Each structure stands twice: as C-alpha cells, then as structure tokens.
Amino acid sequence: MKTKIFAISGGYFRRISKIALNLEGEINAWLNANPGIKIIDIKQSSCGGSAEPSQTIISIWYELEG
C-alpha cells in the first residue's frame, strides 16, 4: 500500500472556496495521471487558528492495480 498526501495552506486573505478548488484540481490531476490505482482509504484534516493561516491535508492510501 502507498500513500499520497496533498496539503494546502490558506493565507489570511485567500477565500476558502479558492483554496478548496486548488486542492480539488491537484487531486483530480493526480488521479487522472494515475488511472491504475485502487483507492483504499482517504483521510482529511484541517488545522489553523487566529494566529496562523489554515492548512488542509488530504491523505490517500492506495494500491497499484494489476
């Protein structure tokens, strides 16, 4: 089993919808470039507070098919 981790930080003035679209595009591009995988599990976490920009992390566990 292998893992691919995607992470993106939001700046103080960046809109969350733009951040989500960028992350979605990165994940979709990776999935399109790797059609021979079988996704086993996906986990998402977010952190950040008033003093730090938010950060979203998505981990995808997968196996190569075939």
Side-chain angles (χ1 to χ4, degrees):
M1 186 175 335
K2 298 183 179 219
T3 305
K4 174 68 176 169
I5 297 175
F6 298 89
I8 192 164
S9 293
Y12 294 105
F13 302 108
R14 291 181 67 185
R15 294 178 45 137
I16 192 67
S17 60
K18 182 174 173 86
I19 293 167
L21 286 174
N22 289 343
L23 188 57
E24 180 181 357
E26 185 178 348
I27 292 169
N28 284 328
W30 180 76
L31 289 170
N32 285 334
N34 296 279
I37 64 170
K38 176 183 175 187
I39 294 176
I40 305 300
D41 197 11
I42 299 172
K43 300 288 184 199
Q44 180 268 327
S45 62
S46 296
C47 61
S50 59
E52 296 291 328
S54 64
Q55 183 165 13
T56 301
I57 299 169
I58 297 177
S59 304
I60 300 175
W61 282 264
Y62 66 97
E63 293 178 346
L64 299 174
E65 291 187 329

